[in-house]
Amino acid sequence: MNEAEIVIGLLAGVAFLGAVARRAGLPYAPVLVIGGLVVGVIPGIPHIHLDPELVLLGFLPPLVYSAAFQAASYDLRPNVVHILTLATGLVLLTVGTVAATGHAIAALPWASALVLGALAAPTDPVSASSVMRDVGAPERIVAILEGESLINDGTGLAVFQVAVLAAGGGISVASGVTHFIAISIGGSAVGLASGWILVRVRRRLDEPSLEIVLGLLAAFGSYVAAYAIGWSGVLAAVTAGLYAGRHAEDISSPGARINMEPFWDALTFVLESMLFLLIGLELPVIVSGLHGNLGDGILQGVGVVAAAVAIRAAWMAALRIMPSGVGRGLAAAVERLLRFGRRWRGREEPPEGGEEASEGREERAEEEVLVEPLSGRELTVLGFSGMRGALSLAGALSIPLTVGGHAFAGRDHVIFLVYVVVIGTLVLPSLTLERLVRRLGLALGDQLRRLDVHARTRIVHAGLARLEELAPDAGVPEATLDRLRAVLELRLERLDARTRRDGDGPEPETAEVEAAVRRLRQEVISAERAALAELRQERRTPTQVLGRIQHDIDLDEIRMH
């Protein structure tokens, strides 16, 4: 079977399993993991060998860049202490714990065990955060999960890079730590430079297709540049994505943002889904390379899963009993670092008002650093959300075949154990997380809907006020102004109807009117689509004109729903 047939088969499998997950109302990640496992054991399915360099370059850069770009929309700063403790302290502790477990129960060499720990430590927020959004969990939990995953991806895969070098020999513990720090700082610097260049270039463009190309260029370019120097390509792509995401509203037009978001969502879905299926296709080859039988490998994998889960649970328990003064001290240190960064960039506001104003600012700064501790319910959810996914698999498949002139010791064994870790930490938690969130009373869907209505109402009122302010001198006919007012007032009526619907429910007459208006709007849109079809059949109107009209009709229907 050639490469084209493999790609076609993978895309067909992604489409089928994605449809199954959608039909069953399940998160797609566990369905794809199980589907990949089933595909791998079907007789007659060809086994494949993936080039580790292809996995590194083809999958990791866009996955981590896209996640960073989207996570930048969250306000990570209030949760920076929680994110840093989880993404550095916890991930390094997990690396050590899993490595020691792999060395003890699977007889892996220490360097190979360290590779296992580095790949089993980073979490993947895709399934967890999607469930959180569906049930309306507090944004704070989602932001912590997203931020933790972004940083621990870089931390874990930087350790992975050092561990691979250690497997080749010639590197001590001290030099390994020094190398880890160097590649982390260097990779972040390359990513910052790439993001800075991207933002400057995109400010001069207003073309969605070109902006997508530039985003891909930033993802792959930052990764390759850092990797070529010997620094962390993952941290470079993460930093570039975060920097570009923080400036997204300044550098992209509304049209560009509308086009870019579905592109990155689709690309991430396809890449992650193909990884789940690819490792299923390679699984028979991996199993054949195990030291011992399959049953022993599974038991060893269960032991590694238990170690990874236990250390995360213990960390959350420690956070729950940690004195508040420790958290405040960490928050103060981080806040001072952030203020120093703003002052270094020349963005710190000059002192005004003399000594009293300075004291007031110090008091406000002290208030800012008081980190809000996580509740027991939040820690429970965070502890249960330590899922491993596509990035761990991509890292496992990228383990080189040879290091230092000889075969990588236990490569297939490490890949198999990482696969078991992904199954053990992803499938069951992702299928039960929604029930846990609801049981703990953290499903705030109704509250979020009320906040949504309140925010939209405030924005529409601001628009109406500005319209009335400009109306006398606008030089626009009164009839036109009335139509503009009517559009905004109609939005307020719909928001008011949503408020009543989320409260005690609308009065029967109001509900009937709303249903009638919806049916009428749907009939109008159907008539417009029928007229559009007639224009297509007549073939007298240019296709590009008809395409723009169809786009506008689609937007009207989306707004209606």
Side-chain angles (χ1 to χ4, degrees), residues 65 181-199 217-244:
Y65 177 88
I181 296 173
I183 65 176
S184 299
I185 295 175
S188 300
V190 170
L192 187 62
S194 301
W196 185 87
I197 294 172
L198 173 67
V199 167
L217 180 61
F220 287 103
S222 60
Y223 184 95
V224 171
Y227 189 74
I229 300 172
W231 294 336
S232 173
V234 171
L235 277 173
V238 167
T239 306
L242 280 173
Y243 189 89

Side-chain angles (χ1 to χ4, degrees), residues 24 96 123 140 193 221 238 243 256 287-288 362 371 422 453 456 471 474 482 541:
T123 56
R140 182 187 189 196
V238 167
Y243 189 89
V287 171
S288 65
E362 290 177 0
V371 59
V422 171
V453 171
R456 290 176 184 273
D482 288 340
T541 306

Side-chain angles (χ1 to χ4, degrees), residues 73-133:
S73 62
Y74 290 99
D75 189 3
L76 300 178
R77 183 180 169 186
N79 303 300
V80 67
V81 173
H82 301 307
I83 291 171
L84 288 177
T85 55
L86 292 174
T88 54
L90 176 58
V91 73
L92 292 175
L93 183 60
T94 304
V95 169
T97 303
V98 171
T101 303
H103 177 72
I105 68 176
L108 291 173
W110 272 112
S112 300
L114 191 61
V115 169
L116 170 64
L119 294 175
T123 56
D124 188 341
V126 173
S127 295
S129 57
S130 63
V131 171
M132 299 293 185
R133 294 188 187 97

Side-chain angles (χ1 to χ4, degrees), residues 430-463:
S430 63
L431 296 177
T432 56
L433 182 59
E434 179 179 354
R435 183 176 300 176
L436 175 66
V437 173
R438 294 188 184 279
R439 181 70 62 86
L440 293 175
L442 293 174
L444 307 176
D446 293 338
Q447 179 179 342
L448 290 179
R449 282 192 292 272
R450 288 193 294 270
L451 290 173
D452 179 88
V453 171
H454 174 75
R456 290 176 184 273
T457 301
R458 178 176 172 180
I459 289 170
V460 175
H461 277 300

Side-chain angles (χ1 to χ4, degrees), residues 91-220:
V91 73
L92 292 175
L93 183 60
T94 304
V95 169
T97 303
V98 171
T101 303
H103 177 72
I105 68 176
L108 291 173
W110 272 112
S112 300
L114 191 61
V115 169
L116 170 64
L119 294 175
T123 56
D124 188 341
V126 173
S127 295
S129 57
S130 63
V131 171
M132 299 293 185
R133 294 188 187 97
D134 290 342
V135 301
E139 184 176 312
R140 182 187 189 196
I141 296 180
V142 181
I144 291 174
L145 284 174
E146 296 278 2
E148 175 199 3
S149 176
L150 279 178
I151 299 176
N152 70 21
D153 286 345
T155 305
L157 293 178
V159 175
F160 166 74
Q161 192 171 337
V162 174
V164 169
L165 289 176
I171 184 171
S172 64
V173 174
S175 60
V177 173
T178 303
H179 189 67
F180 168 77
I181 296 173
I183 65 176
S184 299
I185 295 175
S188 300
V190 170
L192 187 62
S194 301
W196 185 87
I197 294 172
L198 173 67
V199 167
R200 266 60 189 176
V201 173
R202 282 179 53 179
R203 277 179 176 160
R204 291 165 172 77
L205 297 175
D206 188 15
E207 175 56 45
S209 299
L210 287 178
E211 295 196 31
I212 289 174
V213 172
L214 288 172
L216 290 171
L217 180 61
F220 287 103

